[in-house]
Amino acid sequence: MSKQELEVISQDADGACCQGLASAPLTEDRAVELAKVFKALGDPVRLRLLSMIASREGGEVCVCELTPAFELSQPTISHHLKLLRQAGLIDCERRGTWVYYWVLPGVLDRLGAFLTTPEPAAVTA
């Protein structure tokens, strides 16, 4: 699966986000697509990796800075990063012997918008 095969939250032709979870029932295909994203986020190591990458000043981080934060082998960290890439959450680039990772632009905002439910209208008496 290529890094662009799975899109977290699709956009329409104007670049607007799709309907949220509470707007309409998900189609079967959309549910399968989103389940892959949530499965990737359902692992504590992957969630921490995503947080470390997203919160990094400058927007990207070298794998050499991620690995020491865990008591896991480098191949295990690489596997987790690969799953985040396949879920469409991050991307990377090799520079010499190191690989640098960043969160794909707008992906967390669109995921947050998808999970946001509208505020109920205030009831006046």
Side-chain angles (χ1 to χ4, degrees):
M1 181 181 305
S2 76
K3 59 187 168 192
Q4 298 303 324
E5 274 186 70
L6 183 59
E7 190 175 319
V8 174
I9 302 293
S10 61
Q11 295 180 342
D12 62 22
D14 298 327
C17 182
C18 65
Q19 294 181 335
L21 182 65
S23 299
L26 291 173
T27 65
E28 185 176 341
D29 290 342
R30 191 75 180 120
V32 168
E33 180 180 319
L34 283 166
K36 293 176 185 177
V37 173
F38 289 116
K39 184 175 181 178
L41 292 174
D43 182 275
V45 171
R46 290 191 290 272
L47 195 54
R48 283 187 61 210
L49 283 167
L50 182 64
S51 174
M52 291 171 72
I53 296 166
S55 65
R56 183 59 173 232
E57 188 175 328
E60 64 181 32
V61 62
C62 178
V63 70
C64 63
E65 298 173 71
L66 296 171
T67 304
F70 300 90
E71 293 184 12
L72 299 170
S73 68
Q74 184 276 323
T76 300
I77 296 297
S78 292
H79 173 72
H80 285 296
L81 290 166
K82 175 185 169 186
L83 293 176
L84 290 172
R85 285 182 58 226
Q86 289 176 337
L89 296 165
I90 63 172
D91 203 357
C92 67
E93 175 182 77
R94 179 172 293 281
R95 298 179 195 156
T97 58
W98 298 112
V99 179
Y100 289 79
Y101 291 88
W102 59 88
V103 174
L104 289 170
V107 72
L108 297 180
D109 292 334
R110 290 190 303 271
L111 188 57
F114 172 76
L115 292 172
T116 301
T117 57
E119 290 289 324
V123 179
T124 58

